[in-house]
Short mmCIF file of all heavy atoms in Angstrom, two decimals:
data_model
loop_
_atom_site.label_atom_id
_atom_site.label_comp_id
_atom_site.label_asym_id
_atom_site.label_seq_id
_atom_site.Cartn_x
_atom_site.Cartn_y
_atom_site.Cartn_z
N ILE A 272 -53.71 32.09 41.86
CA ILE A 272 -52.37 31.63 41.43
C ILE A 272 -51.53 32.77 40.88
O ILE A 272 -52.05 33.54 40.10
CB ILE A 272 -52.56 30.58 40.30
CG1 ILE A 272 -53.38 29.37 40.73
CG2 ILE A 272 -51.24 30.12 39.80
CD1 ILE A 272 -53.77 28.34 39.69
N VAL A 273 -50.30 32.80 41.35
CA VAL A 273 -49.40 33.79 40.83
C VAL A 273 -48.59 33.10 39.70
O VAL A 273 -48.08 31.98 39.83
CB VAL A 273 -48.41 34.25 41.95
CG1 VAL A 273 -47.33 35.16 41.37
CG2 VAL A 273 -49.12 34.90 43.09
N THR A 274 -48.56 33.76 38.51
CA THR A 274 -47.84 33.25 37.38
C THR A 274 -46.96 34.33 36.80
O THR A 274 -47.41 35.35 36.33
CB THR A 274 -48.82 32.70 36.31
OG1 THR A 274 -49.70 33.78 35.93
CG2 THR A 274 -49.63 31.56 36.80
N LEU A 275 -45.65 34.09 36.85
CA LEU A 275 -44.72 35.10 36.42
C LEU A 275 -43.71 34.47 35.40
O LEU A 275 -43.30 33.31 35.63
CB LEU A 275 -43.91 35.69 37.56
CG LEU A 275 -44.69 36.32 38.73
CD1 LEU A 275 -43.77 36.60 39.87
CD2 LEU A 275 -45.41 37.56 38.28
N VAL A 276 -43.34 35.21 34.40
CA VAL A 276 -42.31 34.88 33.52
C VAL A 276 -41.27 35.99 33.54
O VAL A 276 -41.64 37.10 33.18
CB VAL A 276 -42.81 34.61 32.02
CG1 VAL A 276 -41.62 34.35 31.14
CG2 VAL A 276 -43.76 33.46 32.03
N ASN A 277 -40.08 35.68 33.94
CA ASN A 277 -39.04 36.74 34.07
C ASN A 277 -39.48 37.93 34.90
O ASN A 277 -39.20 39.04 34.52
CB ASN A 277 -38.50 37.17 32.67
CG ASN A 277 -38.00 35.99 31.89
OD1 ASN A 277 -37.30 35.12 32.39
ND2 ASN A 277 -38.27 35.97 30.59
N GLY A 278 -40.17 37.63 35.95
CA GLY A 278 -40.68 38.66 36.92
C GLY A 278 -41.88 39.46 36.50
O GLY A 278 -42.35 40.32 37.24
N LYS A 279 -42.45 39.16 35.36
CA LYS A 279 -43.68 39.91 34.86
C LYS A 279 -44.81 38.93 34.76
O LYS A 279 -44.71 37.73 34.59
CB LYS A 279 -43.40 40.50 33.54
CG LYS A 279 -42.31 41.53 33.50
CD LYS A 279 -42.10 42.11 32.15
CE LYS A 279 -40.94 43.11 32.21
NZ LYS A 279 -40.63 43.58 30.87
N ASP A 280 -46.05 39.50 34.94
CA ASP A 280 -47.23 38.68 34.87
C ASP A 280 -47.25 37.85 33.58
O ASP A 280 -47.02 38.37 32.52
CB ASP A 280 -48.55 39.47 34.98
CG ASP A 280 -48.77 40.11 36.35
OD1 ASP A 280 -48.28 39.51 37.35
OD2 ASP A 280 -49.50 41.05 36.44
N ALA A 281 -47.52 36.57 33.70
CA ALA A 281 -47.57 35.70 32.53
C ALA A 281 -48.90 35.64 31.87
O ALA A 281 -49.94 35.77 32.56
CB ALA A 281 -47.19 34.24 32.96
N GLN A 282 -48.88 35.53 30.54
CA GLN A 282 -50.12 35.27 29.81
C GLN A 282 -50.04 33.77 29.46
O GLN A 282 -48.98 33.26 29.10
CB GLN A 282 -50.07 36.07 28.46
CG GLN A 282 -49.99 37.56 28.70
CD GLN A 282 -51.18 38.07 29.45
OE1 GLN A 282 -52.32 37.83 29.15
NE2 GLN A 282 -50.95 38.93 30.42
N TYR A 283 -51.21 33.09 29.52
CA TYR A 283 -51.19 31.63 29.36
C TYR A 283 -50.76 31.20 27.97
O TYR A 283 -50.24 30.10 27.78
CB TYR A 283 -52.55 31.02 29.69
CG TYR A 283 -52.72 30.97 31.21
CD1 TYR A 283 -53.39 31.94 31.94
CD2 TYR A 283 -52.17 29.89 31.91
CE1 TYR A 283 -53.56 31.86 33.29
CE2 TYR A 283 -52.29 29.78 33.33
CZ TYR A 283 -52.99 30.77 34.01
OH TYR A 283 -53.09 30.69 35.37
N THR A 284 -50.92 32.06 27.00
CA THR A 284 -50.53 31.71 25.60
C THR A 284 -49.19 32.39 25.23
O THR A 284 -48.75 32.32 24.14
CB THR A 284 -51.58 32.18 24.58
OG1 THR A 284 -51.77 33.52 24.72
CG2 THR A 284 -52.87 31.40 24.78
N GLN A 285 -48.50 33.01 26.23
CA GLN A 285 -47.19 33.60 26.03
C GLN A 285 -46.15 32.59 25.65
O GLN A 285 -46.08 31.50 26.20
CB GLN A 285 -46.82 34.29 27.30
CG GLN A 285 -45.42 34.88 27.37
CD GLN A 285 -45.13 35.57 28.67
OE1 GLN A 285 -46.06 35.83 29.46
NE2 GLN A 285 -43.92 35.88 28.89
N GLU A 286 -45.39 32.90 24.56
CA GLU A 286 -44.32 31.98 24.15
C GLU A 286 -43.18 31.96 25.14
O GLU A 286 -42.81 32.96 25.72
CB GLU A 286 -43.79 32.31 22.75
CG GLU A 286 -42.83 31.33 22.21
CD GLU A 286 -42.61 31.49 20.74
OE1 GLU A 286 -43.24 32.34 20.11
OE2 GLU A 286 -41.81 30.69 20.20
#
Side-chain angles (χ1 to χ4, degrees):
I272 300 174
V273 176
T274 56
L275 303 171
V276 175
N277 300 321
K279 298 180 181 174
D280 288 338
Q282 302 297 314
Y283 283 96
T284 58
Q285 173 178 347
E286 189 165 357

